[in-house]
Structure formats: structure tokens, C-alpha cells
Amino acid sequence: MGVTWLTAFLDTPAENAEASEQFWAAVTGWPLSDRRGSDGEFATLQPHDGDAVLKAQVVGEPPPGLLHLDVHVDDVAGESARALGLGAEPLSDASGGYVVHRSPGGITFCLVPHEARRRPGPVSWPAGHSLVDQVCLDLPGDAYEREAQFWADLLGWPRTVGAVPPFERLLPPDGQGMHVL
């Protein structure tokens, strides 16, 4: 079955974490969960229905960019080997039940065990509705083609030209909570 779900993690240094998490809770309309992890470094923005697509992680040294993706898969070891074959760099082994990799263009991602997921619904505001359902990967220009193809191959989602050039989208299967631009 391969990739089953994506979760975006907001990677924030400790000194900025509280302000960042309050901001994202306010703009999404999703409350923040209790902290978890050995140092209380993880929290989830909890949609009112459906499953989480956005989480927060307090980091000591922030990686390049503001986030990393958790790619939920049926077989962590098998998908890790496949990712390495596509050009990913290993950053950890599967001793914790998940693996951390870096894409050829330098984007950190984790391969984590599959869990059943249901796409969240939109939040209603006085002026309309909104939903966090897309992440934009900023790809290095000199490696754009290789990096875009890496993500398409890793996720198994076809590339398509976006509504606004020069953006491309990866077309996810129905029901996927997080889309990739």
C-alpha cells in the first residue's frame, strides 16, 4: 500500500515554540494537545473532526525550513530502503520504530508506521471556512527537477502543473489530509 498519510511538523526552537504554537492554533482554529515526548517536545493541533495533519515539535537546532513531513507507511523498513534507492540520505535507523531521512534537496522527513486516518473537515469562521490541507516544499532551483521527482516517486503521487505557474502539485489519492505543492 506504500504511503498512507502525511503529517506536517512545525519545527520550532524552544524560545519561539509557545508563540508559534499559539499562532497556529489561532489561524487553524484547532486547539493544541497536551505536550508529549521525553522532554515535552511534541504537541498536535487537533482538528474538531478527522485526524491530525499538523503537529509541532520543539527542536534544539532547527533544520533548514520551518517544517518536516512525517510520511506514514505500512512498512517502515521497506519504504526506508526504497527512499534510499531514490536518493534519500539516512539520518537515523529504525530503532525507535521510525526512520529519519533527508531528501536529495535537503528536506528532512520521517517514515513512520501507518495509522488509519480520516481527513479533517473545514473550520467555520464568521467570514467563511478554512482548512489546513497543503504544504509547500521550497525546492532548490539548481536541483528542482530531481527533488520534485524524488517527492513524486517517494509518495507515489503524479506531478501536475499547478494553477499558478511555476508551482507544481503532487496529486494525492482521495481522502489524503495533506496535499503537496
Side-chain angles (χ1 to χ4, degrees):
M1 190 173 189
V3 174
T4 59
W5 192 257
L6 290 180
T7 305
F9 268 84
L10 304 164
D11 294 331
T12 312
E15 61 270 13
N16 302 334
E18 185 176 349
S20 174
E21 292 165 0
Q22 288 176 359
F23 169 82
W24 285 102
V27 299
T28 62
W30 296 340
L32 197 66
S33 72
D34 291 335
R35 302 205 75 73
R36 62 190 181 285
S38 58
D39 296 319
E41 67 271 28
F42 300 108
T44 299
L45 288 147
Q46 301 175 303
H48 302 291
D49 68 340
D51 293 297
V53 294
L54 192 59
K55 297 183 179 185
Q57 179 175 358
V58 177
V59 295
E61 251 333 280
L66 299 173
L67 63 85
H68 77 268
L69 292 177
D70 269 12
V71 180
H72 298 249
V73 296
D74 290 326
D75 174 11
V76 171
E79 291 298 317
S80 177
R82 194 171 70 78
L84 295 173
L86 293 172
E89 174 188 351
L91 298 179
S92 79
D93 62 21
S95 61
Y98 64 94
V99 295
V100 182
H101 289 302
R102 182 176 296 129
S103 72
I107 298 172
T108 301
F109 66 97
C110 299
L111 295 169
V112 301
H114 166 74
E115 297 174 29
R117 298 293 183 187
R118 185 172 60 86
R119 185 174 186 194
V123 173
S124 295
W125 302 96
H129 306 285
S130 67
L131 176 64
V132 174
D133 73 343
Q134 179 172 279
V135 62
C136 182
L137 301 178
D138 292 327
L139 307 182
D142 60 345
Y144 179 86
E145 184 57 37
R146 179 173 183 220
E147 186 74 358
Q149 195 58 51
F150 169 83
W151 285 101
D153 292 343
L154 179 71
L155 300 175
W157 301 354
R159 291 167 64 181
T160 184
V161 176
V164 179
F167 294 105
E168 279 190 53
R169 291 182 51 228
L170 298 179
L171 294 175
D174 288 341
Q176 181 58 244
M178 187 64 68
H179 299 195
V180 177
L181 179 65

